[in-house]
Amino acid sequence: MSDLIITGGTVLTTDGPIRTDLRITDDRVSEIGQGLEASNVIDANEAWVGPGLVDMHSHLRDPGQDWKEDIATGTGAAAVGGYTAVLAMPNTIPVVDNAQIALYVSERGRRVGSADVYPSGCLTMGGDGERMAHIDEMWDAGVRVFTDDGTSVESAAVLRLAMEYIANLGGLVAQHAVDGAMSAHGYMHEGSVSSRLGMHGIPSEAEEIVISRDLALVRLTGVSYHVQHLSSMVGVGLIRQAKADGLPVTAEVTPHHLVFDHTDVASTDADFKMMPPLRSAEDRDALVLGLQDGTIDIVATDHAPHAPREKEVPFEHAPNGVIGLEWAASVTNSVIGDDQVRFFAALSSSPARIAQITDHGHAITIGSTANLVVFDPTERWTPTDSVSRSRNAPYFGRELIGRVRATVRAGQLTHGSTA
Ligand SMILES: [Zn+2]
């Protein structure tokens, strides 16, 4: 497929969205203009063409838990969802806390990935929250984002030290902002539904406390700081104020926190169990508003596969997390509405910039690497299955608006077909 054209779409260029065709030769965009012809054609009529999507929060489960997912199946789901790059979370088995494991993840991605795979690294050894990880050598291996995702770094002293190192290198500290002690025995949001079910809850303050403390450490160290899967109204308020104060702070929200709330958990269906938990409708509305007004920079999937037998247990015993790579773009589009610029900012250019993924997330120009997606913002569809190895998702049977028609990674079609 050395010469491929995408026709009839609205292309996100450096001058904004323009109705035009574009040609891809080998791995590059070679021509932008009207009336292009070639034997391989992707039909983008009525669709948006923009930079391939970039997910800042994927659990690919490799190494160590390939019954849930691996790098081939996880990036397969990413390609279906329009992603050309994913940031792999480091809480694998073993965790990514040194250069060797980081290099394994990126090398495995190069070999079997349908999307470019960028490893993130732990802040602490084994993710234990106590001893700083091999940050310098992971940096040399290309890691730019450091997080103990799955847990919050409890010790302010340890986090401060890691922040100083990472600020010095120019990297990003990303925080799973849920206080460990306050969430240890909770299964869902602490509120009216948890009271009714008699289930231990996790209050919004578990998020507020961690973000508040971390912002003090950001002031102290000057590090670039990113809040993962923001879940509460109070959390949104803290980020809004931090940005107004000029702090180098960014935040993400997951698709599920934008559309569901704790009343959905009343079913005790474990596909609604995640960390942080789905909170109140008021919290959800604040997250949507935060995404619309730019307080929240990006949508990140927190794609967290678990095998059916692991989720098909009583709610309290089920692991946290849902999969989301295949429909995150559709959910985001359903929430933010018909806005091509905002869509690609939230799902591509901003995550690429925040995670320092340089070859993705750019407006389309001649000569740039052809990492692209064709997205139809009006197609209505209902997810019924997944190419992920796992099926834990609350979206099956729910209608979504907008669908990925084709994904092109470095000039090669990774999803969709040509006419
Ligand atoms: Zn997390």
Side-chain angles (χ1 to χ4, degrees):
M1 200 193 294
S2 64
D3 218 26
L4 169 71
I5 58 170
I6 301 179
T7 62
T10 305
V11 179
L12 189 65
T13 70
T14 46
D15 298 324
I18 295 174
R19 182 79 185 272
T20 188
D21 301 343
L22 61 87
R23 184 187 305 279
I24 296 160
T25 306
D26 300 323
D27 64 342
R28 304 267 151 187
V29 176
S30 56
E31 193 179 0
I32 300 175
Q34 303 288 347
L36 302 186
E37 285 179 29
S39 49
N40 291 310
V41 180
I42 296 174
D43 172 17
N45 254 308
E46 320 255 292
W48 296 339
V49 182
L53 308 184
V54 176
D55 186 34
M56 254 191 85
H57 200 138
S58 282
H59 294 276
L60 300 179
R61 307 298 193 205
D62 185 357
Q65 294 175 300
D66 63 0
W67 66 91
K68 297 173 192 269
E69 194 80 287
D70 61 30
I71 288 174
T73 58
T75 59
V80 170
Y83 290 90
T84 53
V86 297
L87 183 74
M89 287 297 108
N91 58 340
T92 46
I93 303 172
V95 301
V96 183
D97 61 5
N98 61 70
Q100 196 190 346
I101 311 287
L103 289 169
Y104 163 80
V105 172
S106 44
E107 178 55 31
R108 189 82 193 139
R110 258 191 298 280
R111 235 186 271 165
V112 304
S114 303
D116 291 352
V117 178
Y118 296 83
S120 57
C122 279
L123 290 158
T124 64
M125 291 297 291
D128 69 2
E130 290 170 14
R131 302 158 297 151
M132 203 168 63
H134 295 295
I135 288 168
D136 282 328
E137 64 171 61
M138 286 193 281
W139 177 268
D140 289 341
V143 175
R144 295 293 176 268
V145 179
F146 297 88
T147 174
D148 275 2
D149 185 45
T151 56
S152 180
V153 179
E154 206 166 298
S155 162
V158 171
L159 185 60
R160 176 203 179 172
L161 191 62
M163 280 180 164
E164 282 173 346
Y165 262 79
I166 293 162
N168 194 37
L169 292 165
L172 180 76
V173 169
Q175 178 74 287
H176 167 105
V178 188
D179 183 80
M182 288 193 87
S183 62
H185 305 291
Y187 308 111
M188 63 177 296
H189 173 60
E190 182 178 300
S192 56
V193 179
S194 68
S195 302
R196 183 149 49 82
L197 295 175
M199 209 175 269
H200 282 292
I202 302 163
S204 297
E205 284 76 7
E207 180 168 276
E208 179 183 7
I209 286 164
V210 175
I211 297 175
S212 302
R213 178 203 64 176
D214 288 2
L215 289 175
L217 296 175
V218 171
R219 280 188 200 93
L220 183 65
T221 62
V223 77
S224 294
Y225 172 77
H226 178 77
V227 177
Q228 300 174 298
H229 42 54
L230 197 62
S231 73
S232 70
M233 184 167 67
V234 65
V236 176
L238 286 168
I239 299 301
R240 189 174 285 127
Q241 186 58 48
K243 287 189 165 186
D245 294 344
L247 294 178
V249 169
T250 52
E252 72 189 31
V253 64
T254 73
H256 38 277
H257 285 99
L258 290 172
V259 292
F260 299 116
D261 64 51
H262 67 157
T263 59
D264 292 297
V265 184
S267 63
T268 66
D269 176 348
D271 285 341
F272 289 104
K273 187 179 179 190
M274 62 243 349
M275 187 67 79
L278 296 168
R279 299 199 183 277
S280 70
E282 203 181 21
D283 290 303
R284 185 199 59 213
D285 292 347
L287 293 166
V288 171
L289 188 66
L291 182 64
Q292 284 166 342
D293 74 10
T295 300
I296 298 173
D297 302 82
I298 69 168
V299 176
T301 66
D302 197 3
H303 178 84
H306 295 291
R309 65 184 145 81
E310 296 172 302
K311 275 287 198 182
E312 285 162 9
V313 294
F315 189 85
E316 291 89 331
H317 301 302
N320 289 306
V322 300
I323 60 172
L325 280 163
E326 287 159 274
W327 36 75
S330 305
V331 176
T332 304
N333 179 64
S334 305
V335 170
I336 63 179
D338 188 16
D339 189 334
Q340 185 175 3
V341 172
R342 195 177 287 276
F343 175 89
F344 282 104
L347 290 164
S348 179
S349 56
S350 294
R353 174 177 45 80
I354 294 165
Q356 301 184 35
I357 294 173
T358 52
D359 224 11
H360 296 262
H362 302 292
I364 293 164
T365 52
I366 292 171
S368 61
T369 305
N371 291 318
L372 308 169
V373 64
V374 179
F375 182 80
D376 179 345
T378 58
E379 183 180 339
R380 289 172 181 268
W381 68 292
T382 303
T384 54
D385 203 0
S386 170
V387 302
S388 164
R389 188 159 288 153
S390 294
R391 294 290 179 279
N392 53 306
Y395 295 98
F396 296 125
R398 281 164 204 269
E399 189 180 73
L400 301 173
I401 306 167
R403 190 171 195 180
V404 174
R405 209 182 275 176
T407 311
V408 176
R409 197 261 308 241
Q412 301 292 315
L413 208 55
T414 53
H415 171 66
S417 57
T418 55

